[in-house]
Amino acid sequence: MSIEERSGPELIVQHTGQVFPLGPTDISIGSQEDNTIILADPSVSPHHVVIFWQADMGAHFIDDLGSEQGTYINGVLIEAPRMLRHGDSIRMGNTVMDLKLPPLPAAAVAGTPPPSDLEGSKDSSKNPIWAGILIAILAGATIICMALFAILLMTGGKGTPTVIIQSPAAGAQIGVGNEIVLQATASGAKDIALLELRVDGSLVATSSDPNGASSLTVTKAWLFTTAGEHVISADAYTASDKTSKPASVKVTVLAAGSRLTPTPEPDQPTDTPTPTVTPSPTPEDTPTPTSVPPPQVEYFQASPASISAGDCTTLQWGKVSNATEASIEPGLGGVGTPGAETVCPIETTTYILTATGPGGTTQASTTVTVIGGLPDLTIDSISFVPSPPLAEQENQVQITIRNAGIGAAGAFNWEWQAGSDAIFDGRIYGLGAGETSVVTLLWSPAQPYESLVTEAQVDVDDEVLEKDEDNNRYTAVVQVIEAEVEPVTIALTSESALDGYRLNDGTGSSSKDILIGNGELVNPAGELVARGFMSFDLSDVQAGATIESAELRFYQKEIQGSPYEKLGNLVLEHVYYGASLDDSAYNTPALGTAVLDMETLPQAWYILSDPTIVTWVQSSLETGLSRQQFRLQFSQETDGDGQEDWIAIQGGGGILGSREAPQMIITYIP
């Protein structure tokens, strides 16, 4: 048979009509600039495929270089080197190339040698010479193929790891504030110890195995905050100090409000037109169709269609014809066609592509199945005991933290802040799905507040990948009030060693009855005047206290003569005579005076609650006096009749014992 005349082998890009010749040298295809053929397709990997010439087979072969989305020949994913044939359709990402090859010898196509020019009309299978040649060719081809695969296997096991960035795709467009998942994988060596992931040269995540592993994967949720071009890169290191060739992709981050740049409609090649929609033939006398066809979506798919919780996938869609606009929901909005976009759903999600044109609306859908679930840390409440909390008092704060997700959460930090008054923090070492944890702390506000803003936050350092990252804060506005201090009441018994009386002749007694009046008393030499004294220790009253009430109680056990008739009123004086009762106390200056209205009956308790006594006690505390001391005397201390006129009050050391000793009942506010 004659061989058809044609040019050499060629690759023709469907959408652009670009032609790339094939020769005996290897041709690499990818999005990175060091490739032989560079494709400006974000869904094409940096080094996607290689096409090489196999001289022994007289044919070109294609091999996928571990691309992210794979390589398809005539719609079938290739998993090993494959021989190319005339008319093959090669799809890499969203780019489709058609292969034009000169007719191959039968040996290359079917594994048989071409027929001889001398015996072309004969059946070669019946010719023993050609049969031998056929067997030799088949054996040689088998050996060559086995060697080829051995070489391919060996090149992946030399010990130097290979790094692939799986997400995002090179050239991807991302809106500012949209969270994506960065993911890279290292393989090709048996002792990979460390995989590092960087954004614009800064380390953001690592994955390591101290024992070395055959593969490592690193994943990091990331949020770009600035528009422009950004570089994601990854490097791998083995335990034997071998370093991978750096892998990197560039993405474009669009400013808020910007739309993703639509891919322009490609021009159809003139020599191989491939219309998306074939219009129905019309009669020559009716050139215009009677109706406008609806939009048609070439394809819409997710790769992969199933992911684990926290992982990402790539939505891919082909050309949309007969449409003026296209959008994808949820989350993407308006899109250009064809195109691709990385999505990271946290639960099983069906994405719908809606195309609208003059002929109506067409929808296509694809479902991403999410296996497993994510935690969702939130704060249910902040409560106070007592409520409202009290200023300058110790209050209990309870923060209820809950995992509202369907996956368990690892360890995370929490924080609670009450304005600028206080900050508390701590750590919770894991929380199962649906579980709650109550954090309890003690807080003493420095002052009252009409409305104080308090805020609690969980997962402060973003350690946990969650279903919802925007519900980690809880704010509570609280009123802080003055504490109502309970008054304190104490009963003070007089100091027996400082109770007693003094006479105007310089004599007197302590620890006995308190005598007030005149007469011979214990000295028959003449009529003497007696003044009584009481002392109370104030050390049990809190410093800075405010005295609310003070009562003086004493027991009048005896009356001699007619002191209340002859000597006038009984006078109570605030004095301070110190730590001993001596002669000087008789004339110690009075700090205050009060006239008492006394009963004339003996053997009776008298309770004096005059406000003046409150003033005296408060003054003693404020001036630093350690004791509250009193002096009792009659307003007219002698009548000159030579008769005894006096009263006796039970002192702290008297015969009746301490039960009848003078007392002071003091109530104060601390």
Side-chain angles (χ1 to χ4, degrees):
M1 61 180 289
S2 62
I3 298 177
E4 179 185 353
E5 292 285 340
R6 69 162 70 211
S7 61
E10 303 173 330
L11 287 175
I12 302 173
V13 182
Q14 277 191 8
H15 296 313
T16 65
Q18 291 175 281
V19 178
F20 299 98
L22 300 180
T25 59
D26 293 353
I27 296 185
S28 63
I29 304 176
S31 59
Q32 195 160 295
E33 295 179 354
D34 59 352
N35 289 282
T36 309
I37 300 176
I38 304 169
L39 299 178
D41 184 344
S43 59
V44 172
S45 295
H47 298 92
H48 204 107
V49 301
V50 63
I51 297 176
F52 58 93
W53 172 252
Q54 187 66 35
D56 295 336
M57 301 289 292
H60 284 88
F61 283 75
I62 187 170
D63 189 19
D64 188 271
L65 299 177
S67 66
E68 181 181 351
Q69 298 187 20
T71 303
Y72 295 81
I73 304 297
N74 303 325
V76 179
L77 178 68
I78 65 171
E79 298 179 352
R82 185 193 186 279
M83 187 170 64
L84 293 174
R85 295 175 173 86
H86 176 66
D88 281 347
S89 176
I90 306 170
R91 181 165 66 87
M92 295 164 284
N94 297 318
T95 302
V96 180
M97 294 182 172
D98 294 324
L99 185 70
K100 290 177 64 178
L101 294 177
L104 297 176
V109 178
T112 60
S116 169
D117 292 339
L118 298 176
E119 300 180 1
S121 62
K122 297 181 179 180
D123 187 353
S124 61
S125 64
K126 297 179 181 180
N127 190 314
I129 296 175
W130 283 110
I133 295 174
L134 175 61
I135 293 171
I137 291 175
L138 290 175
T142 301
I143 294 172
I144 291 170
C145 290
M146 293 177 65
L148 177 61
F149 283 105
I151 292 170
L152 292 172
L153 292 173
M154 290 175 63
T155 55
K158 292 182 179 179
T160 301
T162 300
V163 178
I164 298 174
I165 298 178
Q166 293 140 319
S167 177
Q173 296 179 349
I174 305 161
V176 166
N178 293 335
E179 186 177 83
I180 64 171
V181 173
L182 312 180
Q183 186 173 27
T185 298
S187 61
K190 296 181 179 181
D191 59 342
I192 304 173
L194 177 65
L195 176 60
E196 296 179 338
L197 183 65
R198 290 178 170 83
V199 176
D200 296 329
S202 298
L203 184 67
V204 298
T206 62
S207 178
S208 62
D209 188 331
N211 299 320
S214 58
S215 66
L216 288 177
T217 298
V218 61
T219 303
K220 176 69 176 179
W222 191 257
L223 189 72
F224 286 105
T225 58
T226 58
E229 189 174 73
H230 297 268
V231 178
I232 297 97
S233 59
D235 301 273
Y237 308 88
T238 68
S240 54
D241 296 328
K242 293 184 179 180
T243 305
S244 69
K245 183 179 180 181
S248 66
V249 297
K250 293 181 180 179
V251 298
T252 301
V253 178
L254 304 179
S258 300
R259 292 173 61 93
L260 300 182
T261 304
T263 303
E265 283 291 322
D267 296 330
Q268 297 292 336
T270 56
D271 58 341
T272 314
T274 311
T276 304
V277 179
T278 304
S280 301
T282 55
E284 293 183 359
D285 58 346
T286 313
T288 305
T290 58
S291 62
V292 180
Q296 292 190 2
V297 180
E298 185 178 10
Y299 62 87
F300 183 41
Q301 62 188 27
S303 181
S306 294
I307 60 173
S308 298
D311 291 344
C312 297
T313 185
T314 300
L315 297 180
Q316 303 170 328
W317 57 96
K319 177 183 175 182
V320 179
S321 56
N322 304 324
T324 57
E325 63 180 20
S327 64
I328 298 177
E329 297 297 341
L332 274 65
V335 297
T337 64
E341 188 71 33
T342 299
V343 294
C344 310
I346 59 177
E347 57 188 358
T348 298
T349 303
T350 297
Y351 294 89
I352 299 175
L353 188 157
T354 302
T356 303
T361 298
T362 299
Q363 289 186 329
S365 65
T366 185
T367 299
V368 179
T369 302
V370 179
I371 303 169
L374 294 176
D376 186 16
L377 299 175
T378 185
I379 299 171
D380 282 350
S381 64
I382 302 175
S383 60
F384 303 88
V385 180
S387 180
L390 305 176
E392 301 181 286
Q393 301 289 322
E394 194 172 73
N395 303 269
Q396 190 180 85
V397 183
Q398 295 182 337
I399 306 169
T400 302
I401 300 171
R402 181 167 60 93
N403 179 3
I406 60 176
F412 59 90
N413 294 327
W414 62 266
E415 183 178 274
W416 180 77
Q417 182 170 357
S420 60
D421 199 68
I423 298 178
F424 298 83
D425 55 29
R427 188 166 182 80
I428 294 177
Y429 295 91
L431 198 61
E435 292 183 352
T436 60
S437 178
V438 179
V439 173
T440 301
L441 53 94
L442 298 177
W443 171 48
S444 298
Q447 63 185 53
Y449 295 94
E450 184 65 30
S451 58
L452 179 65
V453 178
T454 72
E455 183 180 80
Q457 183 181 358
V458 292
D459 195 21
V460 177
D461 303 309
D462 290 329
E463 298 176 81
V464 179
L465 180 62
E466 302 179 59
K467 177 181 179 181
D468 187 353
E469 298 285 359
D470 297 326
N471 63 350
N472 293 153
R473 295 177 181 269
Y474 186 95
T475 299
V477 179
V478 63
Q479 181 185 21
V480 180
I481 64 174
E482 289 276 10
E484 294 183 3
V485 182
E486 294 291 332
V488 178
T489 300
I490 60 173
L492 305 178
T493 301
S494 66
E495 300 176 276
S496 61
L498 300 181
D499 289 349
Y501 66 91
R502 305 305 297 179
L503 302 172
N504 61 345
D505 66 351
T507 60
S509 176
S510 301
S511 304
K512 294 182 180 180
D513 294 344
I514 302 171
L515 301 181
I516 306 118
N518 65 36
E520 293 185 358
L521 300 174
V522 297
N523 189 343
E527 191 173 87
L528 301 177
V529 177
R531 296 178 178 178
F533 297 86
M534 306 175 192
S535 179
F536 299 90
D537 187 354
L538 297 178
S539 60
D540 287 339
V541 180
Q542 183 176 324
T546 300
I547 306 301
E548 280 200 334
S549 65
E551 294 181 349
L552 176 62
R553 302 179 180 184
F554 56 84
Y555 185 76
Q556 183 174 260
K557 70 177 197 176
E558 186 179 355
I559 299 176
Q560 184 67 38
S562 303
Y564 292 106
E565 298 166 359
K566 296 180 179 181
L567 304 180
N569 295 317
L570 188 64
V571 178
L572 179 69
E573 295 180 322
H574 175 202
V575 296
Y576 186 75
Y577 51 87
S580 63
L581 180 60
D582 53 29
D583 295 344
S584 64
Y586 187 87
N587 290 313
T588 297
L591 303 176
T593 302
V595 178
L596 305 182
D597 184 14
M598 293 290 296
E599 298 287 342
T600 59
L601 297 175
Q603 299 180 351
W605 278 99
Y606 291 92
I607 301 175
L608 308 175
S609 57
D610 194 288
T612 304
I613 300 177
V614 174
T615 303
W616 292 350
V617 176
Q618 189 73 57
S619 176
S620 296
L621 292 173
E622 293 176 355
T623 56
L625 299 179
S626 60
R627 292 178 170 85
Q628 182 62 51
Q629 296 177 329
F630 301 99
R631 181 169 62 203
L632 289 163
Q633 63 187 70
F634 282 100
S635 58
Q636 182 180 335
E637 294 188 287
T638 181
D639 57 0
D641 63 358
Q643 301 294 320
E644 293 185 350
D645 299 299
W646 49 265
I647 63 174
I649 296 174
Q650 175 65 58
I655 60 174
L656 295 181
S658 61
R659 292 179 302 164
E660 283 76 27
Q663 294 182 340
M664 277 192 67
I665 310 300
I666 298 175
T667 299
Y668 65 90
I669 303 296

